[in-house]
């Protein structure tokens, strides 16, 4: 009788995989059940972990129909045959329910290589996920139940006594009655040695070498979004207010301090919401205006700027504009030819996605088009800024491996279709915290990144020196 052992580890920080051959499941063969739809579907089990190392519930993980207390299984294939010494199952929600693992060496027959002993007692861990971690289970068009109170993320490592060569597929069986609460499976990986496969955040060493971000104090103002003029001399902040949010500007003095807060009354004409999303040399994009559905109106207004005077040019209009969410974000290129938006439609990968629309001859915009599966996950993407090269995109998401609930990422446009983007790169732990970090706006002139962060359920404005050389595609 083979001696098997299972290592069970809670992972809440990113690790580095060294000197081992690792593959992630890249093909579905068979499975017991699927909820259907784009979020929490069986397809979310493919590829490297994206709900780790942060852990907790995620639309990017598989939630079977019997995940509360039933029996489920999945068979997955890998890109090429490999010697397997370890099978790692990443369970981002209430881990500890794997009961059997079998492998296929290419003949279509599965050989059991690990089985849970009847007297095995699964260790459990109470994860310290931030209290303000965002869940999206009660929003319109969602069919998943409320987020559970028990989360216990972990990785189950099945270490085989004898390595098995030529493995092309793995079958994993679960008994979800072993632990209370809902369950989710993020990924399945195999390795040729017994060194634990640790999930990594896709970041760069140069980003990890940055000086940690600092807080910019704004006395009496709680920021909800911001932007900066192209000359780097004027900072615009949307202040949270009751009943009305308003836009303020600050100027930079000789010491580099932001002073002279000014209420921009000409930009604060809406009764409740006034949000400035981007500002260029002579153009301002502002959100918060009420709009009529079916008219192409979006709730975003365009202002021209002449000698500090703002002139409203009316609402941005998009062909057949529709957004299932109550909120949206937008960004407009300096030449107004391309509009970027963070919204949710029938074409979204899950929740809110990044879209683009091209300007027509009459000044309105054509149909919004999804920017693709590489940059859009099953969770939420938005809060974007496109730099002046029209290729480097900063955005916020909770759908990729991260340090917190929402992190800031950078991606690069690869062609002129606007649908091909590079794999998102996390801006690192010196920028992203264990809580919410998003709404980035970059001062290209002074090479400083500003963004909104959440601490103790309160928004703060943070900034960090971020050289263009680090932010560039080559890093």
């Amino acid at each position: 009788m083979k001696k098997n052992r299972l290592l069970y580890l809670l992972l809440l920080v990113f690790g580095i995989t060294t000197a081992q051959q690792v593959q992630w499941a890249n093909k579905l063969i068979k499975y017991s059940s699927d909820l259907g739809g784009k979020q929490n579907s069986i397809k979310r089990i493919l590829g490297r972990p994206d709900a780790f190392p942060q852990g907790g519930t995620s639309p990017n993980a598989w939630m079977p129909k019997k995940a509360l207390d039933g029996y489920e299984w999945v068979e997955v294939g890998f890109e090429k045959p490999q010697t397997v010494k370890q099978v790692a199952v990443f369970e981002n929600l209430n881990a500890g329910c794997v009961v059997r693992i079998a492998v296929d060496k290419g003949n279509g027959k599965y050989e059991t290589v690990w089985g849970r002993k009847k007297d095995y007692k699964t260790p459990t861990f109470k994860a310290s996920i931030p209290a303000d971690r965002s869940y999206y289970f009660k929003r319109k068009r969602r069919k998943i139940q409320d987020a559970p109170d028990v989360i216990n993320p972990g990785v189950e490592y099945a270490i085989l006594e004898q390595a098995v060569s030529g493995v092309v597929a793995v079958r994993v069986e679960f008994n979800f009655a072993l632990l209370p609460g809902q369950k989710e499976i993020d990924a399945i990986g195999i390795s040729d040695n017994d060194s634990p496969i640790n999930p990594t955040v896709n970041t760069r060493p140069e980003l990890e070498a940055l000086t940690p971000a600092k807080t910019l104090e704004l006395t009496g103002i709680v920021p909800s979004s911001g932007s900066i003029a192209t000359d780097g001399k004027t900072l615009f902040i949307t202040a949270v207010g009751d009943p009305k949010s308003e836009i303020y500007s600050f100027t930079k003095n000789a010491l580099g301090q932001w002073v002279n807060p000014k209420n921009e009354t000409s930009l604060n004409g809406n009764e409740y919401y006034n949000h400035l999303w981007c500002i260029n040399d002579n153009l301002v994009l502002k959100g918060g205006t009420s709009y009529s559905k079916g008219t192409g109106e979006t709730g975003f207004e365009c202002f021209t700027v002449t000698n500090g005077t703002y002139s409203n040019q009316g609402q941005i209009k998009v062909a057949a504009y529709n957004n299932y969410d109550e909120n949206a974000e937008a960004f407009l290129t300096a030449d107004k030819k391309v509009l970027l938006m963070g919204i949710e439609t029938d074409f979204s990968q899950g929740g809110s996605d990044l879209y683009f629309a091209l300007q027509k001859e009459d000044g309105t915009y054509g149909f919004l088009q999804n920017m693709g599966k590489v940059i859009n996950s099953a969770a939420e993407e938005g809060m974007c800024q496109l730099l002046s090269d029209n290729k480097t995109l900063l955005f916020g998401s909770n759908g990729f491996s991260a340090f917190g609930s929402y992190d800031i990422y950078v991606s690069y446009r690869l062609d002129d279709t606007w649908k091909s983007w590079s794999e998102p790169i996390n801006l690192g732990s010196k920028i992203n915290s264990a809580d919410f970090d998003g709404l980035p706006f970059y001062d290209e002139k002074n090479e400083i990144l500003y963004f909104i962060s959440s601490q103790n359920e309160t928004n703060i404005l943070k900034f960090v020196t971020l050289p263009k050389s680090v932010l560039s595609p080559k890093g």
Side-chain angles (χ1 to χ4, degrees), residues 139-151:
R139 290 173 50 176
K140 186 178 179 181
R141 296 172 60 82
R142 298 295 190 269
K143 298 181 180 179
I144 312 302
Q145 68 182 68
D146 289 353
D149 294 327
V150 182
I151 47 182

Side-chain angles (χ1 to χ4, degrees), residues 325-445:
D325 199 349
E326 295 179 356
N327 302 308
E329 298 97 24
F331 184 89
L332 196 59
T333 57
D335 59 9
K336 298 178 64 175
K337 291 183 178 180
V338 183
L339 173 70
L340 306 182
M341 297 193 76
I343 62 171
E344 181 183 358
T345 77
D346 282 334
F347 301 101
S348 294
Q349 301 300 320
S352 173
D353 274 10
L354 291 168
Y355 289 78
F356 75 95
L358 304 179
Q359 190 179 43
K360 300 191 295 184
E361 291 184 359
D362 63 0
T364 65
Y365 291 83
F367 295 106
L368 284 163
Q369 302 178 63
N370 193 285
M371 289 167 62
K373 294 182 179 180
V374 173
I375 200 170
N376 288 313
S377 72
E380 309 283 329
E381 282 74 41
M383 303 177 286
C384 66
Q385 179 197 10
L386 187 68
L387 301 193
S388 60
D389 63 3
N390 279 353
K391 293 183 178 180
T392 304
L393 183 73
L394 298 170
F395 68 99
S397 172
N398 68 340
F400 303 97
S401 290
F403 297 96
S405 59
Y406 264 85
D407 275 12
I408 302 172
Y409 299 81
V410 61
S411 179
Y412 308 101
R413 183 165 60 88
L414 303 178
D415 60 27
D416 292 334
T417 67
W418 291 85
K419 296 181 179 180
S420 181
W421 295 83
S422 66
E423 182 181 359
I425 297 170
N426 190 294
L427 292 192
S429 61
K430 301 302 175 62
I431 293 174
N432 292 310
S433 68
D435 295 304
F436 171 94
D437 299 284
L439 297 146
F441 53 104
Y442 186 59
D443 178 358
E444 295 190 58
K445 183 176 179 61

Side-chain angles (χ1 to χ4, degrees), residues 7 21 30 51 103 105 130 180 192 196 232 244 249 336 375 393 420 451:
L7 301 180
Q21 181 182 3
K30 293 181 181 179
V103 299
K105 294 187 289 185
D192 59 351
K244 181 179 180 179
S249 65
K336 298 178 64 175
I375 200 170
L393 183 73
S420 181
F451 61 98

